[in-house]
């Protein structure tokens, strides 16, 4: 086998590879509407004494956060609010340590994938 014929074969294969529609270096676009694109962080922060606050950060901005907050407040008998931070985005704050409750709620409603959910705290 001559080196010229080998080179022609590899040149032909390279040309075939270049006809692919997908750019291998382009980032994949996620078409899942409603799911969080990055990690969702659930944290608990100690206030004073026995009081604490649970924060949920990283939910998709396309979701109706007011409706999610309303359901969490109704299901877990706690008060809460939505806070907008210029650096961190929209954050849901809840009274008390609601980490496990919020985790179960988000997973059961299909709002977050299990591998993208991060629990922080004690």
């Amino acid at each position: 086998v001559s080196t010229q014929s080998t080179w022609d074969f590899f040149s032909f294969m390279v040309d075939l590879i270049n006809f692919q529609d997908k750019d291998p270096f382009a980032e994949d676009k996620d078409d899942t509407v409603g799911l969080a694109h990055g990690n969702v962080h659930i944290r608990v922060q100690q206030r004073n004494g026995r009081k604490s606050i649970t924060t949920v950060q990283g939910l998709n901005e396309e979701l109706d956060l007011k409706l999610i907050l309303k359901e969490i407040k109704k299901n877990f008998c706690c008060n809460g609010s939505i806070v907008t931070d210029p650096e961190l985005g929209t954050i849901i704050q809840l009274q008390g340590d609601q980490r496990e409750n919020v985790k179960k709620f988000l997973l059961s409603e299909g709002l977050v994938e299990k591998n993208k959910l991060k629990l922080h705290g004690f």
Side-chain angles (χ1 to χ4, degrees):
V1 177
S2 71
T3 56
Q4 182 62 30
S5 63
T6 306
W7 177 252
D8 290 340
F9 175 74
F10 286 123
S11 175
F12 174 72
M13 292 303 291
V14 169
D15 289 340
L16 283 179
I17 292 173
N18 288 338
F19 283 122
Q20 294 178 351
D21 291 320
K22 185 175 179 182
D23 183 9
F25 297 105
E27 293 185 23
D28 289 335
K29 292 190 171 68
D30 191 12
D31 293 333
T32 55
V33 175
L35 288 177
H37 297 296
N39 290 331
V40 175
H41 299 276
I42 302 174
R43 296 182 174 92
V44 65
Q45 298 173 351
Q46 193 72 29
R47 276 187 28 209
N48 51 1
R50 293 174 36 192
K51 309 289 183 185
S52 60
I53 295 175
T54 302
T55 60
V56 182
Q57 172 191 346
L59 287 173
N60 193 346
E61 299 289 331
E62 297 172 2
L63 294 172
D64 188 0
L65 295 179
K66 289 184 179 180
L67 184 61
I68 293 171
L69 178 64
K70 182 179 177 181
E71 287 298 315
I72 290 174
K73 286 167 56 172
K74 186 169 68 172
N75 289 338
F76 306 124
C77 300
C78 65
N79 201 2
S81 64
I82 297 175
V83 178
T84 304
D85 186 82
E87 284 184 24
L88 305 175
T90 307
I91 300 172
I92 296 178
Q93 289 184 341
L94 302 167
Q95 284 183 343
D97 186 2
Q98 304 291 337
R99 287 175 295 173
E100 289 299 322
N101 293 334
V102 171
K103 176 183 173 183
K104 289 176 187 174
F105 176 79
L106 293 176
L107 292 175
S108 68
E109 295 296 321
L111 299 174
V112 179
E113 296 173 3
K114 190 172 185 176
N115 61 347
K116 294 195 176 202
L117 191 64
K118 307 291 182 195
L119 282 179
H120 304 279
F122 311 127

